[in-house]
Amino acid sequence: MRKILIAVCDEDSSYGEKLAEWISLQKGEKLRCVSFCSPERFLEYLNSQSLDIVLLGAGFWEEPQVCEEILRQGQAARHSPEVLWMYLCDGDCQRQIPEYIGVLPAVDKYQPVSRLLRQIFSVYQEWDGGTPGQSGTGKEIVGIYSPGHSIWQTPFALTFAQALARERKLLYVNLHECSGFKGWFHEEYEKDLLDVMYLCLEGNVNVAHCIGSALYSMEGIDYIPPAEDGGCLGEISAEDYLKFVGLLSENSGYDMILLEFGMMLPGFFQLLGMCGKVYIVTEPGEMQAAPLQQFRQIVERQEKAELVQKLVYLSLPVISNEAYSGEGKMQQWLWGTMGDFSRRLAGVSCGAD
């Protein structure tokens, strides 16, 4: 998967270098970041490289040659027609920017970097290849469900998502009522799936922007944090679920949506029907056989031949509960038996690249 190239341009060389270093260390699997403290060096680089995102800080937006380049990029697209220009501000920088440049997106430079990146990618998804606000064209939806509620369903879903994300722009959505994310990954979330659903279902909104307001990334996987109050998931109507998943497919800017189901939500079988493929996963052994048999019977009662054809039944590899212990759960899953299994299923190399 091609890495997104970001240029941090700020006269404070220490700030630019530290930001670029942090992004490269934490997000290097999907981003590459370079920094410039000199407009001349930046313009030389731009003439020879195709950038995806340019963050313009102090000492750059005031430079006439940089302003001229912004205009050329917008009108003639001489260098990189898909470049997204953004202002990296300390306060209200719009008052300081030449009026003839126009209003470009802006982010506050002095905030937690994780939040800064979420804001940047909210705008980048909205930009969608250089065209602000362009909608998607209807993408692939993949579902994962375990009738016996296997504890290994989520490790499989995440490692499978990571493998698929190497070739596709993928969004992972976890619909479990008790996902375990906070305990496993030690992450505190400001917003979660319920917030994103509420924003998306309000009316005429920008779906990509709603997603970007709560978007997180982990090991190359873009994901919306699962619901903190899982009990609310059962109170949302089938109509709202169907509308939400439809919006994700059509307007999120992602090529693939991976839905991991927990309980049978309202509209469950209709949601499965929206998927191009649904992986029904079980663990080896007698205890998982009875829930699987019951699920097959429920599917038969739906009398939907198209749904039956979409179901792919998988037996997960044998894994002991002690196999993945301690910290670094995601890394253990990725480079253990589950990761190998998921990469083979996705048809990608088992190497680290």
Side-chain angles (χ1 to χ4, degrees), residues 194 227 229-237 241 263:
L194 296 175
D229 187 355
C232 294
L233 293 173
E235 300 172 2
I236 298 171
S237 69
Y241 274 119
M263 58 179 154

Side-chain angles (χ1 to χ4, degrees), residues 206-258:
N206 188 302
V207 175
H209 181 75
C210 294
I211 295 171
S213 69
L215 190 68
Y216 281 74
S217 294
M218 174 175 58
E219 299 295 340
I221 308 166
D222 285 355
Y223 70 97
I224 300 171
E228 173 70 14
D229 187 355
C232 294
L233 293 173
E235 300 172 2
I236 298 171
S237 69
E239 180 183 0
D240 281 345
Y241 274 119
L242 294 169
K243 182 179 178 181
F244 176 64
V245 173
L247 289 172
L248 292 182
S249 173
E250 297 291 337
N251 303 105
S252 68
Y254 284 89
D255 300 325
M256 178 180 286
I257 309 298
L258 192 149

Side-chain angles (χ1 to χ4, degrees), residues 155-185:
F156 163 68
L158 286 170
T159 53
F160 191 46
Q162 199 261 3
L164 293 172
R166 296 183 178 199
E167 304 294 336
R168 307 285 296 274
K169 187 179 180 183
L170 178 144
L171 178 67
Y172 167 84
V173 180
N174 185 302
L175 295 167
H176 273 275
E177 59 274 23
C178 296
S179 70
F181 267 45
K182 290 178 68 175
W184 283 336
F185 308 127

Side-chain angles (χ1 to χ4, degrees), residues 111-130:
Q111 61 175 313
V113 179
S114 57
R115 186 182 304 165
L116 174 67
L117 280 176
R118 287 200 296 276
Q119 290 182 1
I120 292 170
F121 276 94
S122 172
V123 178
Y124 185 67
Q125 288 172 356
E126 183 179 340
W127 197 262
D128 196 15

Side-chain angles (χ1 to χ4, degrees), residues 100-153:
Y100 67 87
I101 291 299
V103 178
L104 297 180
V107 291
D108 183 0
K109 62 191 290 186
Y110 295 118
Q111 61 175 313
V113 179
S114 57
R115 186 182 304 165
L116 174 67
L117 280 176
R118 287 200 296 276
Q119 290 182 1
I120 292 170
F121 276 94
S122 172
V123 178
Y124 185 67
Q125 288 172 356
E126 183 179 340
W127 197 262
D128 196 15
T131 307
Q134 182 179 359
S135 297
T137 56
K139 309 300 181 182
E140 184 177 356
I141 304 175
V142 173
I144 295 176
Y145 175 68
S146 173
H149 302 291
S150 167
I151 192 62
W152 299 113
Q153 175 184 332

